[in-house]
Amino acid sequence: MDNTDLRPGWASAQLSSTPEEDEENLPEIPSSHSLESNMPSYKRTCPHRLFRCYKFITMMTAFLVMVAQALSVVCVPFDGIGLVIKVFLTSFCVLIILNELEWWKMLRDSPLFSNWIARGYFYAFVGIVSIQENNLKEFEIFGSLSYLFIETASWLMFTFGVLYVLMGLFCCQLYQNKLREDYSKRMAERKKIYDNDGLRGSSFFGSDGSVPMSHWEDTEESETMV
């Protein structure tokens, strides 16, 4: 029986290629490294990190002042007016923490808290009132860790307030806003590339298109702030 291949020529041509040749003809898929090299960086710049670090330290200082107010109830004699002042200072510290976290839109839009110069005056005022209200000079501060803690926390709050005023005067807030805009723009570009190239599930974005948690180790802390 004749074993001559009676299939059309185009069918023979298709079947003539080997699996190895088929693999060679497949389009080259760019590696994850090459994709990442063509995408904007997800890392914040060094100045941006420093600004975020400063906000975090200020927030922790406000928390220490809150602790100092609670400690002063036990360690420092006070009258009814003094107790009212302690309550006000504690509430002011809560506002400072919320303002630094930028969780509350009313605080973000407030002229008092959004402007660094006004914000610095307020923070310095809280610190100096805490010092004066506790009348620390009437006691042997260095003979008691409690008094030393109260004075240190209060003076730190005053210092960071003054630094905010100085940074506001030297237009550091405008510089920080530019850094934030640049970072947001780069993140938007990464998200756009991710959506256009179908990189879902890649190592550069999570399943929702966000930067994975492992990448945030290279950024400054908090996550609530840009």
Side-chain angles (χ1 to χ4, degrees), residues 9-17 22:
W10 61 267
S12 301
Q14 284 186 342
L15 296 175
S16 62
S17 60
D22 291 339

Side-chain angles (χ1 to χ4, degrees), residues 63-78 86 90 130 133-134 136 144-153:
F63 176 76
L64 293 179
V65 174
M66 289 177 58
V67 175
Q69 294 306 309
L71 195 59
S72 66
V73 173
V74 179
C75 301
V76 181
F78 61 91
K86 294 179 190 297
T90 302
S130 178
E133 182 263 338
N134 288 304
L136 298 182
S144 171
L145 291 178
S146 300
Y147 294 137
L148 181 60
F149 175 81
I150 295 171
E151 184 179 65
T152 302

